[in-house]
Amino acid sequence: MTVAFMRNKMVEVEPLPTGNLAVHWRLSDDLIDVDMTLTFQLPDLEIVDAAANVRRSPHREGVRAGEIIRKMVGVRVGGGLRKIVRGLMGGAAGNIDLTEGVLECCNAVILNFTLPGIQEFEKYTYTTEEERLAPVRAMLQANPRLYRSCVAFAEDSPIVRGLDLKGGVS
Amino acid sequence: MITFSRSQLIGMEFLDEEIVRIHGTQEDHIYAMEIEMDVRIADGVILAVKGLMKRYTTPVCPQAVERLQSAVGMSLRVEGWMQAVMRDIGRNGCEHFAEIITECGRCLDQARMAKALAANLKTDPGADPGALAAAWLADHPEAPGVPLAL
């Protein structure tokens, strides 16, 4: 059976010569084509530049992407990010694709910094299950906020067992 | 040079007038996963779901595949559905499966509108897509959100 609708989304993180990170995001489907670029300043991951462009949309009346996205300048990746972004982007009266796009850009920045640590895991050799879990357990110990964030870090996971995390897991 | 990249691909097959089959793929430098689910068009309820983990970071991650079944019965149209997916599928299973299901859900009404526009433009190629989209949205108040403008 053929598909009646397709959506492609892409987000890319590009370190800039200035030391900042440019994050390029694009959504293209049967109806709309929109892109945005957010620039994050290190080390506090503050958005210092934001631009968006709608290339295709059947809707002539609605959110003007370029105008609304500039409200993201000054936002930092950190606690309360979702609430802050959704509030600035208009909440329920805002465009969901654009709002979630901003959050996906921020998530990509976090994953960009997560990737080298995971690549380090791949150099690790093990012969027992305990040894296999050791680097993941070390990562969880260093990042206890991950506790209960997914099945791998759930209370009954072998990764968590025996760790002394905040909240007294043992 | 790009140091991290993620792509999502969503495809929607209308099996009949009542059910849409949604395929979702997410691949990035770290993770690679797929979802296939059947959704009832009238109320957005997930009728069936399958997941495939192709690349992940811990040996425990594949346990999230069976936990996906808790998505069956959830509606992708009720208020707060995205938070519910993140909580029930993400925190109890895998955040990345939840991300795919969320994107699939966001496409549900967009696909219905695209299908209607395509049918209208087939019979009347000169029709104004903007007017057709506005008319469809007026007729379908259940379709949420504010559209992007040119």
Side-chain angles (χ1 to χ4, degrees):
Chain A
M1 181 175 283
T2 59
V3 292
F5 179 86
M6 284 197 75
R7 170 170 288 186
N8 275 281
K9 288 176 90 170
M10 177 182 273
V11 61
E12 297 174 324
V13 180
E14 179 187 19
L16 299 175
T18 57
N20 292 343
L21 290 177
V23 181
H24 310 287
W25 175 94
R26 184 173 178 187
L27 181 163
S28 177
D29 64 29
D30 292 39
L31 296 169
I32 60 174
D33 183 358
V34 56
D35 66 76
M36 77 170 85
T37 296
L38 302 181
T39 305
F40 294 79
Q41 187 176 58
L42 274 59
D44 53 358
L45 301 181
E46 179 180 338
I47 298 173
V48 292
D49 197 14
N53 179 43
V54 179
R55 301 160 190 255
R56 180 179 63 252
S57 170
H59 312 287
R60 289 193 208 94
E61 299 300 325
V63 173
R64 305 280 169 182
E67 293 168 24
I68 195 84
I69 208 70
R70 279 192 285 276
K71 294 181 180 177
M72 293 301 97
V73 173
V75 171
R76 293 181 183 187
V77 177
L81 179 71
R82 288 182 179 277
K83 194 172 181 181
I84 292 166
V85 169
R86 285 178 177 147
L88 288 172
M89 296 291 284
N95 178 269
I96 189 170
D97 294 317
L98 215 51
T99 303
E100 296 301 316
V102 170
L103 294 171
E104 287 161 10
C105 288
C106 295
N107 189 42
V109 169
I110 294 167
L111 290 170
N112 181 67
F113 288 115
T114 305
L115 177 59
I118 292 171
Q119 288 168 330
E120 282 299 309
F121 290 177
E122 293 170 345
K123 298 175 185 170
Y124 187 80
T125 55
Y126 56 85
T127 52
T128 67
E129 189 62 17
E130 278 301 302
E131 287 176 351
R132 184 185 186 196
L133 295 178
V136 188
R137 291 161 65 87
M139 184 188 71
L140 178 59
Q141 187 79 70
N143 299 280
R145 65 177 181 79
L146 293 173
Y147 177 48
R148 292 178 176 151
S149 65
C150 67
V151 68
F153 303 133
E155 212 164 337
D156 59 351
S157 166
I159 294 169
V160 170
R161 201 172 301 137
L163 285 184
D164 182 19
L165 299 167
K166 280 180 186 170
V169 179
S170 59
Chain B
M1 183 179 165
I2 298 301
T3 51
F4 178 82
S5 175
R6 166 175 286 184
S7 290
Q8 283 183 331
L9 182 63
I10 309 293
M12 317 276 284
E13 296 174 43
F14 286 87
L15 299 183
D16 52 38
E17 293 300 313
E18 295 178 359
I19 298 172
V20 62
R21 177 162 294 165
I22 313 176
H23 299 273
T25 301
Q26 179 165 290
E27 180 125 1
D28 60 39
H29 273 78
I30 304 172
Y31 305 98
M33 302 185 187
E34 288 184 20
I35 289 283
E36 179 187 289
M37 59 185 192
D38 291 349
V39 174
R40 189 163 55 218
I41 296 165
D43 56 8
V45 167
I46 298 171
L47 302 173
V49 63
K50 287 190 279 192
L52 176 62
M53 276 201 171
K54 297 184 288 187
R55 188 168 60 253
Y56 44 89
T57 53
T58 84
V60 182
C61 294
Q63 291 181 16
V65 173
E66 61 189 65
R67 300 198 182 194
L68 263 180
Q69 294 312 309
S70 62
V72 175
M74 293 178 77
S75 171
L76 302 173
R77 197 170 276 133
V78 296
E79 191 174 345
W81 70 267
M82 286 195 290
Q83 289 87 343
V85 168
M86 270 300 162
R87 183 185 60 239
D88 296 348
I89 307 303
R91 294 186 77 83
N92 293 335
C94 173
E95 175 188 351
H96 310 292
F97 273 154
E99 288 168 338
I100 301 172
I101 290 176
T102 301
E103 194 60 38
C104 291
R106 284 189 211 133
C107 288
L108 177 60
D109 289 317
Q110 299 296 305
R112 294 170 63 214
M113 181 163 66
K115 184 170 178 263
L117 262 62
N120 275 293
L121 289 168
K122 193 172 180 181
T123 54
D124 181 8
D128 176 4
L132 292 174
W136 190 90
L137 285 172
D139 286 345
H140 297 85
E142 76 282 6
V146 176
L148 284 169
L150 285 171

